[in-house]
Amino acid sequence: MDEHFFKSYRKTSIQGIEVLRSITLPLSKKNEFIWSAKQCRRREDDIAIVNTAMKVSFDTTDQCLIKSAQLVFGGMAAMTSEAKAASRYLIGKKWSTEILEDVCSLLVQDFPLSVDVPGGMATYRQSLAISFFYKFYLHVTQWLSESGISDLPFIETEALSATRPCTRPATKESQLYQIVSTNQAKYDLVGRPITHLSGLKHGTGEAIYVDDIPLHRNEHYGTLVINRTVPYGKLLSVDPSEALAIPGVVAFFDASSISKDRNIFGEIEHDEFVFATGEVTAIGQTVGLIIANDSLIAEKASKLVKINVEPLSPTILTIEQAIANDSYLYHRKVSSGDVEAGFARSDHVVEGEMRVGGQEQFYLETQSCLAIPKEDDEIDIYIATQAVTNMQRSISKCIGVPQNRVTVKTRRAGGSFGGKETRCILLGIPAALAAQKLRVPVRMVLNRYDDMEITGHRNPYLFRYKMGFNSDGRIIAIRISAYSNGGIAQDLGSEIICVTILSIDGTFRIPNWEIDGWACKTNLPTNTAMRGFGNPEGSIMLHTLFEIVAETTERDSVEIRQLHLYEEGDFTPTNQILTNCTIKQCWDECLANSTYHKRLQAVKQFNKNNKWKKRGIAITTTKHNLGFGDKFMCQAGALVMIHLDGSVSLNHGGMEMGQGLHTKMIQIATRVLQIPASKIYFSETASDKVPNAPPTCGSMSADLNGMAIINACDILMERLLPYKSANPNGSWESWITAAYFDQINLSAVGFYSYFDPIYSFASNSGSHTKYTSFGAACSEVEIDCLTGDHSVSKTVIRIYDVTPDVKIIYSIFGIC
């Protein structure tokens, strides 16, 4: 096996009739040194960004004279390649510091990566190649020194940290929970740390997801035809003739297959097309739908549909381009105090900007849907969605049938993180339309590439700020303009930017604020919800400002943060009064349990002693506003049915995506019904069981659905009370039987809603939150300055989550 073995990407010189029987790895010889390394995004089970194997051998008489050398890299070309110029240069050279600079230059020449190289990160990959050689140089120098060879280059002790890998010990974790009262009944699972009721199914692969549903008779498969021409252009024609000619292709749908008034959808504004019409406005926009007998045929045919587009301008892709073209989807502003007066009396005033990138949700289960037509225009939709009712409403409108004919069912989603709240409609409507037109079941499952291309991500942000603060570290005034890249349509972009500006204050009291929020309209696929929903972006902006203050005033950022922590009864910039404000308690306990100050000194000493490995430690806080700013979102329903054998069917409008919602609901039901969890079962979320349910989002689903379940269970327990009183020593089953023969209704609908005056941007008053949870965390990390490799040494988390209606305080303290 030599340099001719690899021909190109995933191609070798092995002929079709040949079989590779064995690979023999020769042992290294005397005066020969071999070293290898790999840098990847994850430590285990991941392909390399760059990997390398290096070998050098020395002359037997002059043991510092290089006899031969080979520097081989993966990830620097289409196939594993040798750095030939650098390898040749080393032959005949003395092993000394003089070779370092020349080899580094030659490595860049050997691998001249362009900025658009597949996989990206051209500069980083070249830096990795150079860093790997430097590490090899240090290792070989150490090995030669250990062999007793003199006249070696001098290496600082501090530089030897580059030879030590970033390793972490076996993870140790502890979680501390409140101990429930000894008087609490054994059947009552509220407050007890029980396992996820579907956890074993998830671990063993027995959990059923949409694409695990067995095939139906005469089932067909759908694949979207998406725009891959230009981000913005006039749609001149769509020609599916070549695709329709493939055996097994059944039909093609596009904008001509649906009336104009039904070809639109949207969560807040109806500003998106099911199928592009007139114009294409983003790469990844749906143009049509191919229906075929199986998935492979459908996917192949979808790529043969010819889309003819005439480019238009301006094409807007970035936030800066949107600002320049005044291209916005939404704008809101919050102000409190007088920022100009605050700047005037500040010792320091700084201005700048900061960016926060987008992020793919990368749920394990891609967007999936199965539409099954039934009689009388009924249709069942099995889909991985966070919003059953929204899906039902959108499909009903677009296929032209009442909502009572559309039943949407979700047993579970294989991860979601916000990505399946609205964007699953991109499959739901086309699948339902095709199933209705063709009268056959239609299954659609996006492949990973299409899913990432068309469904949108976390909104990228640009922040422009001006901040005034004094030399003692106190911040006097902050002005921030927050711009999010919303993509081509509003979707949830208006809500996301609102969350950013309403929660950017975090856990800190600052007297003067002015916050502008703009959702930018660009020619990108519509961005959407992701975990945190605008809160993390604002939080990282504010914490960056604290670091600027600490650096300018030469004070510890921990002290700066501590100066500004909220207290009970404080007002936020939106005039919300803080109750149950536990942030100082979280902060103090996190400082104490993490031994922050002791570890800070150890970090400083480590950094002093090591040149290429550095450690950092930080403590930070979070405030999460629980609740919705829209009245219609603040409600939930439940249906609880008791069967004659005493078993209970539990139904509510929330859906399971790994967070354990159904487990929590069963915990609540055990307390109210006073029966063990083994008698209670939840099957699936379905629109024909609990109608008009709000989306499962915002960390409010346990609160809303839990209260609805309490309401339904209370109704049932009130009906059973006479039978329990008449037969106090009876069993649950005996009370159910007695009630049944007395014609007592053993099913109940529960409902819960709350309402506070909704927040008004115009008056800066009202409520945009039901209650607030607080947390603090301390983490210590170590980073390899040459490669970017890193490890988290220790993390301490302290959270207080106060749920007023359920009257439970969750206090979680974890160390790992």
Side-chain angles (χ1 to χ4, degrees), residues 381 391-400 406 425 428-429 432:
I381 307 293
M391 184 65 57
Q392 179 194 36
R393 184 175 63 243
S394 298
I395 290 173
S396 165
K397 174 185 177 299
C398 290
I399 68 173
V406 180
I425 202 67
I429 294 176

Side-chain angles (χ1 to χ4, degrees), residues 371-568:
I372 304 173
K374 299 164 71 175
E375 62 181 89
D376 296 329
D377 286 332
E378 284 188 72
I379 189 166
D380 285 351
I381 307 293
Y382 295 87
I383 189 166
T385 179
Q386 294 174 239
V388 167
T389 298
N390 292 352
M391 184 65 57
Q392 179 194 36
R393 184 175 63 243
S394 298
I395 290 173
S396 165
K397 174 185 177 299
C398 290
I399 68 173
V401 301
Q403 290 183 37
N404 62 4
R405 308 290 176 92
V406 180
T407 302
V408 179
K409 300 181 179 183
T410 300
R411 191 176 189 92
R412 59 174 62 85
S416 182
F417 316 112
K420 293 174 182 173
E421 183 174 346
T422 61
R423 305 318 290 166
C424 44
I425 202 67
L426 296 172
L427 269 71
I429 294 176
L433 176 68
Q436 183 200 48
K437 296 272 190 181
L438 301 175
R439 305 309 301 167
V440 296
V442 173
R443 186 185 300 254
M444 294 181 67
V445 180
L446 289 184
N447 63 48
R448 180 63 67 184
Y449 298 102
D450 287 351
D451 193 301
M452 293 178 69
E453 186 174 11
I454 73 176
T455 58
H457 315 112
R458 182 190 292 279
N459 295 47
Y461 270 73
L462 169 65
F463 292 96
R464 291 175 175 168
Y465 62 84
K466 183 176 182 180
M467 173 177 61
F469 56 96
N470 287 338
S471 297
D472 63 358
R474 289 197 176 274
I475 299 175
I476 306 302
I478 296 177
R479 173 182 288 143
I480 291 177
S481 292
Y483 302 91
S484 72
N485 192 329
I488 195 58
Q490 184 166 322
D491 189 66
L492 296 170
S494 57
E495 301 298 303
I496 293 168
I497 195 68
C498 282
V499 168
T500 301
I501 63 178
L502 293 175
S503 62
I504 200 169
D505 59 307
T507 60
F508 304 108
R509 181 179 60 252
I510 295 166
N512 303 292
W513 280 97
E514 187 178 293
I515 316 157
D516 266 295
W518 308 78
C520 298
K521 182 177 182 178
T522 62
N523 295 113
L524 293 176
T526 303
N527 285 317
T528 190
M530 190 172 179
R531 206 74 180 96
F533 204 78
N535 192 322
E537 292 83 357
S539 179
I540 195 171
M541 174 69 259
L542 184 61
H543 284 287
T544 299
L545 294 181
F546 276 104
E547 295 301 322
I548 292 172
V549 173
E551 184 177 347
T552 304
T553 61
E554 298 182 345
R555 292 172 177 268
D556 188 344
S557 64
V558 168
E559 295 176 13
I560 304 296
R561 286 177 171 85
Q562 197 159 344
L563 278 173
H564 296 85
L565 288 176
Y566 274 131
E567 296 181 358
E568 181 77 10

Side-chain angles (χ1 to χ4, degrees), residues 509 565-571 577-584 774:
R509 181 179 60 252
L565 288 176
Y566 274 131
E567 296 181 358
E568 181 77 10
D570 279 344
F571 283 85
I577 187 170
L578 292 175
T579 58
N580 297 312
C581 181
T582 58
I583 185 55
K584 283 204 168 183
F774 297 89

Side-chain angles (χ1 to χ4, degrees), residues 35 37-39 49-54 71-77 81-83 86 100 103-113 121-137 786-788:
W35 181 80
K38 169 185 175 181
Q39 185 61 46
I49 300 171
V50 174
N51 56 7
T52 185
M54 302 185 186
L71 310 178
V72 180
F73 292 87
M76 299 297 291
S81 302
E82 182 181 0
L100 279 175
V103 170
C104 290
S105 298
L106 289 169
L107 284 173
V108 175
Q109 294 178 29
D110 280 323
F111 302 112
L113 302 181
M121 301 186 292
T123 304
Y124 175 52
R125 285 152 72 177
Q126 288 178 326
S127 298
L128 277 176
I130 292 169
S131 295
F132 281 154
F133 178 74
Y134 178 65
K135 285 173 174 280
F136 177 60
Y137 169 82
L786 293 171
T787 65

Side-chain angles (χ1 to χ4, degrees), residues 583-637:
I583 185 55
K584 283 204 168 183
Q585 185 177 350
C586 289
W587 177 269
D588 291 342
E589 292 182 11
C590 194
L591 274 176
N593 288 299
S594 66
T595 60
Y596 170 83
H597 294 291
K598 179 180 178 181
R599 287 166 58 198
L600 177 62
Q601 297 308 310
V603 164
K604 290 179 179 178
Q605 188 61 45
F606 178 90
N607 292 341
K608 182 179 179 181
N609 296 339
N610 294 274
K611 184 175 183 178
W612 300 113
K613 291 284 195 307
K614 298 297 179 182
R615 288 181 181 171
I617 186 170
I619 183 168
T620 189
T621 61
T622 184
K623 171 171 68 73
H624 187 62
N625 296 323
L626 281 297
F628 299 111
D630 297 304
K631 184 177 179 180
F632 71 91
M633 293 283 286
C634 308
Q635 60 181 309

